[in-house]
């Protein structure tokens, strides 16, 4: 199969999920060594989970399939440029290559917040529309210091 074939599979996931009433028009496949190992479609409205985006559901499925939290030998194909959450999830999963169909501007044109969130991220916290207030940092640091000294931690 070619990258075009994998992208068509992601687009088919988007169409099937949307037409099946699972969520918005977003789909994803994850490929490892030429094989589709996971599929995902947007399931936000059907699961009442704002994090159930196509990329996140596919990453979760791939990690379950492979029994790992790291996907460094995989490629992600998604029907739309990922929102910031999905882009971050792709980085966290250590996926080195991502292909996308529609752009975030295309998503904004049909009513999705992707581009707005991208605009918010580089702003200083005090300028964002989401009110962010620091609280109890000294107490929160206890867990960080413990993690730093933990001999048997699993790095990710």
């Amino acid at each position: 199969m070619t990258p075009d074939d994998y992208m068509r599979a992601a687009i088919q996931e988007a169409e099937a999920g949307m037409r099946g009433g699972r969520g918005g028009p977003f789909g994803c496949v994850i490929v490892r060594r030429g094989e589709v190992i996971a599929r995902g479609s947007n399931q936000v409205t059907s699961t009442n989970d704002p994090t159930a985006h196509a990329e996140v559901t596919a990453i979760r499925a791939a990690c379950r399939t492979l029994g790992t939290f790291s996907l460094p030998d995989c490629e992600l194909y998604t029907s739309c440029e990922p929102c910031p959450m999905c882009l971050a999830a792709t980085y966290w999963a250590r996926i080195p290559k991502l292909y996308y169909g529609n752009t975030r501007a295309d998503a904004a044109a049909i009513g999705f917040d992707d581009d707005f969130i991208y605009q918010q991220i580089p702003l200083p916290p005090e300028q964002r529309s989401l009110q962010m207030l620091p609280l109890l940092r000294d107490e929160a640091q206890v867990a960080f210091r413990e993690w730093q000294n933990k001999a048997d931690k699993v790095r990710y």
Side-chain angles (χ1 to χ4, degrees), residues 41 49 64 69 75 77 82 93 98 151:
S41 65
D49 179 353
R64 276 191 308 273
F69 56 82
E75 297 175 342
Y77 294 79
L98 181 152

Coordinates of all heavy atoms in Angstrom, one line a residue, residues 41 49 64 69 75 77 82 93 98 151:
S41 N -11.9 7.0 14.8 CA -12.7 8.1 14.2 C -13.1 8.9 15.4 O -13.0 8.5 16.6 CB -13.9 7.5 13.5 OG -14.8 6.8 14.4
D49 N -17.1 12.5 25.4 CA -15.7 12.6 25.8 C -15.0 13.6 24.9 O -14.7 13.3 23.7 CB -15.0 11.2 25.7 CG -13.5 11.3 26.1 OD1 -12.9 12.4 26.3 OD2 -12.9 10.2 26.1
R64 N -2.6 -0.2 22.8 CA -3.2 -1.5 23.3 C -2.8 -2.7 22.5 O -2.4 -3.7 23.0 CB -4.7 -1.4 23.3 CG -5.3 -0.7 24.5 CD -6.9 -0.9 24.6 NE -7.6 -0.6 23.4 CZ -8.0 0.6 23.1 NH1 -7.8 1.6 23.9 NH2 -8.7 0.8 22.0
F69 N 3.5 2.2 25.3 CA 3.0 3.6 25.2 C 3.8 4.4 24.2 O 3.6 5.6 24.1 CB 3.1 4.3 26.6 CG 4.4 4.2 27.3 CD1 5.4 5.1 26.9 CD2 4.7 3.2 28.2 CE1 6.7 5.1 27.5 CE2 6.0 3.2 28.8 CZ 7.0 4.1 28.4
E75 N 3.6 5.4 11.7 CA 3.2 6.6 11.0 C 1.7 6.8 11.2 O 1.0 5.8 11.3 CB 3.4 6.4 9.4 CG 4.8 6.2 9.0 CD 5.0 6.0 7.5 OE1 4.0 5.6 6.9 OE2 6.1 6.1 7.1
Y77 N -1.8 8.7 9.9 CA -2.5 9.3 8.8 C -3.8 9.8 9.3 O -4.6 9.0 9.9 CB -2.7 8.3 7.7 CG -1.5 7.8 7.0 CD1 -0.7 6.8 7.6 CD2 -1.1 8.3 5.8 CE1 0.5 6.4 7.0 CE2 0.1 7.9 5.1 CZ 0.9 6.9 5.8 OH 2.1 6.5 5.2
P82 N -4.0 17.8 12.7 CA -4.5 17.6 14.1 C -4.6 18.9 14.9 O -3.9 19.9 14.7 CB -3.3 16.8 14.8 CG -2.6 16.2 13.6 CD -2.7 17.2 12.5
A93 N 3.4 10.0 21.9 CA 3.5 8.7 21.5 C 4.8 8.4 20.7 O 5.0 7.3 20.3 CB 2.3 8.3 20.6
L98 N 3.7 12.1 10.4 CA 2.3 12.4 10.4 C 1.9 12.9 9.0 O 2.5 13.9 8.6 CB 1.9 13.3 11.5 CG 0.5 13.7 11.7 CD1 0.2 14.1 13.2 CD2 0.0 14.8 10.8
A151 N 13.9 5.7 41.9 CA 14.9 4.9 41.3 C 14.2 4.0 40.2 O 14.9 3.7 39.2 CB 15.6 4.0 42.3

